[in-house]
C-alpha cells in the first residue's frame, strides 16, 4: 500500500476499525496518545500521520483493512485506481495476470466478460476456440437414434451413410472456425447435416458453450430442400406392364410392389413387413390402448391391415393396408431379407416403374377415390401432416377402415386385378 495514496478519511476509517476491534484503551496505549487526541483523530480534527498509520495497520489483518476501506478505496490505496477514476493500466494488467493464477478468480473474470461483452466476443472471435477433437463413437450413434431434439435417425442405412461421411471428412479434425467454414462450403450438402448433428451432440454433452453452438448453427446451414411442384406422369400401361413382368419373372418383387402399391408404404417398410411377418403375434397397440393381433382382416370388405408399428423417427409406419389375397403371397416369402439397393437395381435394370413412384401413385388414387386427404395421410402414416383436430378428436382408424374399400376397388381396376 502506498501511504501517500491513503486519504485522511481513509485513515480515520482504518483507525475506527482498530478501535472497534481492540477498544479505545489498547489503541491509545499503542499510539501513545491521550483520549482527547484519539477523539480528535476519529472526528477529523487532528491529522493521522504516516508513522501512526503504520502502527494502526499492524493492529489489523489485510482483510480487515480492505473491509474498512472498501474495494474502490483499496484499489486507490494500492495505486491501481486514481482518485479521478483513471486506471494505472500497467498495474491493472499485472494484477489481472497474477490474480488469474487463482482458479476461482479466473472463473469470475470469464463469467464477467461473457456476461458483459458477449456480442463483442462474437464479433472478435466468431467462434469460441475450444479444444475438441471430432470423433465418431457409440454415444454419438445413440444420440442420433434416441436423443436428437427433432427428427431422429430412424434407419440403419441413413446411419451408415452419415458414418461414412463423418469418417471421410470430419474424423480426427479439431473444432475450429476454419473447419466450420470448410463444412459450410463443402460440395456434399449432407456433410453439413452430419456436422450440425455433431455440434448438437457436443452441446448436449456440455463440451462446447452456447456461444459456439449458436454461431456454428447460424453459420453452417443445414442441407436445403427445394420444394417445387412437379408433374409426375405415369402411364397406366407402364404400370400394368411392370406388374405383369414381375408376376411372370419374380414372385418376391411382385409381392413387394403390390404391398407398396396398395398401401402407399415405402420400400424399406415393405421389406421390413416381409422379413418380420408374424400375423398372429399379439402386441399392445398404443393407438387402440389394448392388445391385438398384428394382422386384422375384414373378409366381407376384402382387405386386411397389418400393424407394423414403426413409431417415431422421420419415417414412421404404423399400419399397412392390403387386399386380402396378398396375405398368402406375403406368407410365402416370410422371413426373406432383401436390401433396398438390390431391389432398386433390379427395377432399373429391367426398366420397371421406379419404386418411389408407387407411393405417389397410391396417394393420388386414395385422394381421388375417398375424397378425404386425412384418410390418405393416415394410410401412408403421414401423421405429422394431420391437423390437431383430426389427430386427436376423430377416430381415423375406424374412418379409414370404412373408406379403404373404395380406394381398393380403384387400385385393383387400374392395374387390371379386378378381372380376377
Amino acid at each position: 500500500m502506498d501511504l501517500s495514496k491513503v486519504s485522511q478519511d481513509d485513515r480515520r476509517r482504518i483507525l475506527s476499525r482498530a478501535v472497534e476491534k481492540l477498544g479505545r484503551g489498547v489503541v491509545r496505549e499503542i499510539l501513545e496518545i491521550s483520549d482527547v487526541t484519539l477523539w480528535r483523530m476519529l472526528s477529523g480534527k487532528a491529522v493521522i500521520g504516516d508513522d501512526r498509520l503504520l502502527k494502526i495497520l499492524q493492529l489489523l489483518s489485510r482483510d480487515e483493512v480492505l473491509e474498512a476501506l472498501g474495494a474502490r478505496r483499496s484499489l486507490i490505496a494500492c495505486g491501481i485506481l486514481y482518485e479521478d477514476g483513471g486506471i494505472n493500466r500497467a498495474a491493472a494488467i499485472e494484477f489481472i495476470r497474477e490474480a488469474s493464477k487463482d482458479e476461482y478468480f479466473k472463473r469470475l473474470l470469464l463469467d464477467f466478460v461473457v456476461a458483459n461483452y458477449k456480442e463483442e466476443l462474437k464479433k472478435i472471435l466468431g467462434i469460441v476456440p475450444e479444444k475438441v477433437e471430432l470423433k465418431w463413437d457409440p454415444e454419438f450413434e445413440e444420440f442420433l437414434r434416441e436423443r436428437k431434439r427433432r427428427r431422429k435417425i430412424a434407419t440403419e442405412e441413413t446411419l451408415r451413410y452419415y458414418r461414412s461421411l463423418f469418417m471421410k471428412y470430419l474424423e480426427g479434425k479439431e473444432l475450429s472456425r476454419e473447419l466450420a467454414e470448410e463444412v459450410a462450403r463443402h460440395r456434399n450438402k449432407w456433410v453439413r447435416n452430419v456436422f450440425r448433428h455433431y455440434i448438437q451432440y457436443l452441446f448436449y454433452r456440455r463440451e462446447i458453450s452456447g456461444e459456439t453452438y449458436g454461431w456454428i448453427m447460424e453459420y453452417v446451414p443445414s442441407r436445403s430442400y427445394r420444394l417445387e411442384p412437379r408433374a409426375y406422369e405415369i402411364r397406366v400401361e407402364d404400370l400394368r406392364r411392370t406388374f405383369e413382368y414381375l408376376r411372370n419373372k419374380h414372385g418376391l418383387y411382385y409381392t413387394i410392389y403390390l404391398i407398396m402399391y396398395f398401401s402407399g408404404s415405402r420400400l424399406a417398410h415393405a421389406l421390413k413387413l416381409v422379413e418380420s411377418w408374424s400375423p398372429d403375434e399379439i402386441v399392445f397397440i398404443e393407438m387402440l390402448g389394448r392388445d391385438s393381433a398384428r394382422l386384422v382382416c375384414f373378409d366381407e370388405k376384402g382387405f386386411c391391415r397389418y400393424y407394423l408399428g414403426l413409431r417415431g423417427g422421420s419415417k414412421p409406419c404404423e399400419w399397412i393396408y392390403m387386399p386380402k389375397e396378398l396375405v398368402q403371397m406375403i406368407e410365402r416369402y416370410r422371413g426373406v431379407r432383401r436390401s433396398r439397393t438390390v431391389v432398386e437395381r433390379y427395377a432399373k435394370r429391367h426398366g420397371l416403374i421406379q419404386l418411389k413412384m408407387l407411393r405417389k401413385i397410391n396417394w393420388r388414387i386414395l385422394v381421388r377415390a375417398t375424397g378425404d386427404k386425412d384418410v390418405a395421410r393416415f394410410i401412408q402414416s403421414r401423421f405429422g401432416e394431420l391437423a390437431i383436430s383430426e389427430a386427436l378428436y376423430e377416430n381415423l382408424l375406424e374412418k379409414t377402415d370404412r373408406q379403404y374399400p373404395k380406394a381398393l376397388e380403384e387400385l385393383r381396376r387400374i392395374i387390371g386385378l379386378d378381372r380376377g
Side-chain angles (χ1 to χ4, degrees):
M1 181 180 292
D2 183 353
L3 298 186
S4 66
K5 304 292 185 183
V6 184
S7 68
Q8 286 298 314
D9 287 340
D10 290 336
R11 295 178 187 219
R12 282 197 301 275
R13 292 188 186 94
I14 295 171
L15 176 59
S16 295
R17 184 68 182 86
V19 171
E20 180 182 325
K21 177 182 178 181
L22 301 171
R24 300 174 72 91
V26 174
V27 173
R28 279 201 329 269
E29 182 178 342
I30 292 174
L31 295 181
E32 299 178 341
I33 58 176
S34 66
D35 190 59
V36 174
T37 301
L38 178 61
W39 175 81
R40 286 172 59 80
M41 292 168 64
L42 287 170
S43 61
K45 299 182 182 298
V47 173
I48 303 174
D50 289 349
D51 55 339
R52 284 177 174 168
L53 177 58
L54 283 172
K55 290 181 180 181
I56 298 170
L57 290 172
Q58 292 172 12
L59 301 176
L60 301 172
S61 68
R62 180 179 57 185
D63 290 339
E64 288 170 337
V65 173
L66 295 176
E67 180 183 346
L69 290 175
R72 188 175 187 279
R73 302 302 305 176
S74 298
L75 292 174
I76 292 174
C78 293
I80 296 176
L81 196 64
Y82 299 131
E83 285 284 354
D84 62 359
I87 297 174
N88 184 335
R89 293 184 178 86
I93 291 172
E94 188 60 28
F95 169 76
I96 292 173
R97 182 180 291 114
E98 290 298 318
S100 295
K101 296 176 182 177
D102 179 89
E103 287 298 318
Y104 179 71
F105 175 84
K106 185 167 68 175
R107 185 70 256 175
L108 287 177
L109 180 63
L110 290 172
D111 289 343
F112 178 84
V113 171
V114 170
N116 293 277
Y117 303 103
K118 183 180 296 185
E119 294 304 316
E120 287 83 351
L121 276 175
K122 282 181 174 181
K123 292 176 183 177
I124 293 171
L125 300 176
I127 178 173
V128 179
E130 299 175 63
K131 295 287 184 180
V132 176
E133 181 183 338
L134 278 62
K135 183 180 180 181
W136 185 283
D137 54 33
E139 288 77 16
F140 179 47
E141 285 197 21
E142 194 266 343
F143 173 81
L144 292 174
R145 286 193 179 101
E146 305 294 338
R147 300 187 181 277
K148 276 179 81 270
R149 285 189 300 112
R150 297 181 65 192
R151 291 184 173 181
K152 298 172 177 57
I153 307 304
T155 66
E156 185 62 33
E157 183 178 6
T158 303
L159 196 63
R160 282 198 302 270
Y161 182 56
Y162 278 10
R163 189 188 301 117
S164 67
L165 290 176
F166 190 97
M167 299 303 293
K168 185 174 182 180
Y169 298 111
L170 302 173
E171 179 73 17
K173 293 190 176 181
E174 188 173 292
L175 182 62
S176 65
R177 177 173 183 164
E178 291 71 25
L179 178 61
E181 291 173 346
E182 177 186 329
V183 171
R185 297 191 303 266
H186 203 282
R187 65 182 184 279
N188 187 335
K189 308 309 180 188
W190 284 105
V191 176
R192 295 182 195 168
N193 277 26
V194 180
F195 182 68
R196 285 168 58 92
H197 291 333
Y198 198 79
I199 295 303
Q200 292 175 30
Y201 168 65
L202 292 177
F203 184 62
Y204 170 79
R205 292 273 303 257
R206 298 187 179 182
E207 293 186 31
I208 59 173
S209 67
E211 285 73 26
T212 299
Y213 172 81
W215 181 83
I216 293 178
M217 298 303 280
E218 179 70 23
Y219 188 82
V220 180
S222 62
R223 179 177 177 269
S224 59
Y225 298 86
R226 294 198 308 174
L227 294 178
E228 298 179 354
R230 297 183 64 182
Y232 293 99
E233 295 294 338
I234 302 295
R235 297 192 307 167
V236 173
E237 48 268 35
D238 291 337
L239 191 62
R240 289 183 175 178
R241 181 184 60 80
T242 290
F243 280 107
E244 184 66 24
Y245 179 89
L246 289 171
R247 185 173 65 175
N248 296 324
K249 298 292 185 178
H250 206 302
L252 173 60
Y253 292 175
Y254 179 55
T255 303
I256 290 170
Y257 261 77
L258 286 174
I259 293 171
M260 296 176 65
Y261 173 72
F262 281 108
S263 68
S265 59
R266 294 180 170 87
L267 174 57
H269 299 150
L271 294 172
K272 180 71 174 178
L273 173 68
V274 174
E275 180 185 343
S276 63
W277 179 255
S278 50
D280 298 325
E281 182 183 5
I282 304 298
V283 293
F284 179 79
I285 300 177
E286 187 174 329
M287 186 181 297
L288 300 177
R290 59 177 172 81
D291 292 338
S292 171
R294 285 192 181 274
L295 182 69
V296 175
C297 289
F298 300 85
D299 294 338
E300 71 285 359
K301 297 180 179 180
F303 79 93
C304 300
R305 53 173 160 80
Y306 184 90
Y307 183 72
L308 194 60
L310 297 179
R311 301 175 59 85
S314 59
K315 297 177 181 178
C317 182
E318 295 239 358
W319 304 95
I320 290 185
Y321 281 75
M322 66 186 78
K324 190 173 184 299
E325 62 270 21
L326 194 51
V327 171
Q328 287 185 338
M329 298 176 65
I330 299 173
E331 185 69 38
R332 189 181 310 153
Y333 298 104
R334 178 203 289 249
V336 173
R337 300 183 63 180
R338 284 290 186 279
S339 73
R340 285 176 49 185
T341 305
V342 170
V343 183
E344 288 169 343
R345 285 176 180 170
Y346 181 91
K348 185 176 182 180
R349 188 164 62 248
H350 296 281
L352 307 179
I353 291 287
Q354 293 182 62
L355 288 132
K356 66 179 182 179
M357 299 306 299
L358 296 175
R359 184 171 170 87
K360 296 177 173 64
I361 295 168
N362 174 268
W363 171 264
R364 294 178 187 176
I365 298 172
L366 289 177
V367 173
R368 186 168 68 240
T370 66
D372 193 327
K373 287 188 177 181
D374 287 330
V375 167
R377 291 186 180 107
F378 185 84
I379 290 174
Q380 292 196 356
S381 296
R382 294 159 69 158
F383 301 141
E385 299 175 24
L386 291 169
I388 293 176
S389 56
E390 284 74 23
L392 296 181
Y393 298 111
E394 282 202 57
N395 187 339
L396 281 176
L397 181 62
E398 180 182 314
K399 185 178 182 181
T400 301
D401 289 345
R402 291 197 310 269
Q403 297 279 23
Y404 184 69
K406 299 178 185 177
L408 180 58
E409 182 180 347
E410 179 70 2
L411 287 162
R412 287 179 186 277
R413 185 191 64 77
I414 287 175
I415 61 173
L417 289 184
D418 59 333
R419 294 171 295 182

